[in-house]
Amino acid sequence: MKKIYLAFLAAAVVATGAAFAQSSANGNTSISDPDASFIGNDSSREALREVSVDRFEREGFWNVHASPDYGVISGRLFDGAPAGKEPLNDSVNKELQDTKVLGVKIEFFRRGVNSFFVTAARPIPIEGVTKTVSVWLCGRNMGHQIWLLVQDYYGHNFEIWLGSLEFSGWKKLTAAIPPSPDGEHGIVQQSAYHGTKPGLRIVGFRVDCNPMEARGSYYMYMDDLRAVTDLYDVENRDEDDMDDNW
């Protein structure tokens, strides 16, 4: 029995090493920078496009909220942009204004286990099957954790870890959207029953504060919310096909 267990353990180690080697060869080595071309890639029929979700340019579109027991929170737009941000190769949206960032300030009453939210006035739909979502953040080198809040086609809410805000200056954080294993569980984006309705909506973000650092005033800035999405079904839909939205 012990020999069988050792043989199984050795096989598992070899398989893990092979998977890591292939992942490294493909350049997909970090969960903080996932490669959309390898997420749920079980078909050659994919048309991946990077699209703009929101550029944080509209007054009043993003709301901030925290429990009044924890502190006072406010949000507003500022002129500026991350210097390392690459322009989006999008002929439709490249002429849109992109000069603002969203600033969030929370003044804590005392240290403790608390969270605050940055949410859109209404959930933002993304066409196609979303693979990754990215956003530029200025975290002020605090050990707080930020989560992406999404809804799937059925309106079920999910939270996906984006990363830690323990860095200085601007940084692009990216979250991979895990594919549904069977079309019924997890984040469901695509099904024969869905018609042409977008399968994923961005609700906003939640920041879980490090209780040892949640004191005084904390500032966070956000810009350039994007997604990498598979638009194969959208781009290859017949012009004479009917929309199942009635």
Side-chain angles (χ1 to χ4, degrees):
M1 186 69 175
K2 186 175 181 180
K3 291 182 179 180
I4 295 176
Y5 172 76
L6 292 175
F8 175 79
L9 181 61
V13 170
V14 171
T16 302
F20 177 79
Q22 181 169 351
S23 176
S24 299
N26 291 331
N28 189 24
T29 59
S30 173
I31 61 173
S32 64
D33 188 19
D35 188 344
S37 61
F38 292 97
I39 299 172
N41 187 12
D42 55 0
S43 171
S44 60
R45 299 188 305 170
E46 288 194 339
L48 298 180
R49 303 285 186 272
E50 187 176 29
V51 298
S52 176
V53 179
D54 193 79
R55 302 188 180 189
F56 298 94
E57 299 290 317
R58 293 174 286 178
E59 290 279 0
F61 184 77
W62 291 92
N63 303 311
V64 295
H65 173 74
S67 171
D69 295 331
Y70 299 150
V72 178
I73 190 170
S74 57
R76 53 164 291 194
L77 297 181
F78 292 89
D79 293 330
K85 182 174 65 174
E86 296 181 358
L88 184 65
N89 185 21
D90 183 357
S91 58
V92 176
N93 294 318
K94 68 179 181 180
E95 301 299 330
L96 296 180
Q97 186 177 12
D98 189 12
T99 60
K100 306 274 187 191
V101 301
L102 175 67
V104 181
K105 175 185 177 182
I106 181 168
E107 299 173 271
F108 295 106
F109 292 150
R110 58 186 178 275
R111 284 192 236 185
V113 179
N114 50 58
S115 303
F116 64 88
F117 296 83
V118 181
T119 57
R122 58 183 180 276
I124 308 172
I126 304 176
E127 280 192 311
V129 178
T130 304
K131 301 290 187 174
T132 66
V133 175
S134 65
V135 63
W136 280 87
L137 287 156
C138 190
R140 289 294 180 258
N141 203 22
M142 293 289 182
H144 308 318
Q145 307 292 317
I146 186 166
W147 298 77
L148 175 69
L149 308 178
V150 301
Q151 287 180 350
D152 71 354
Y153 175 82
Y154 295 114
H156 297 154
N157 293 304
F158 296 88
E159 53 188 41
I160 303 170
W161 185 66
L162 262 172
S164 171
L165 295 172
E166 198 169 6
F167 55 85
S168 298
W170 286 97
K171 183 178 180 181
K172 180 182 177 181
L173 297 184
T174 305
I177 307 301
S180 170
D182 55 7
E184 297 291 336
H185 301 87
I187 302 177
V188 179
Q189 297 192 64
Q190 190 176 45
S191 170
Y193 299 99
H194 286 182
T196 58
K197 187 177 179 181
L200 192 75
R201 291 168 176 79
I202 303 298
V203 176
F205 306 88
R206 188 187 78 234
V207 177
D208 294 337
C209 300
N210 184 324
M212 296 304 295
E213 298 179 344
R215 60 187 179 87
S217 297
Y218 175 67
Y219 298 85
M220 182 182 76
Y221 301 89
M222 313 180 71
D223 192 32
D224 201 30
L225 180 60
R226 299 184 185 183
V228 175
T229 180
D230 178 13
L231 297 175
Y232 181 87
D233 288 341
V234 176
E235 294 179 350
N236 291 276
R237 184 179 178 85
D238 293 334
E239 295 181 1
D240 59 351
D241 199 355
M242 308 302 294
D243 289 331
D244 299 334
N245 57 5
W246 52 281

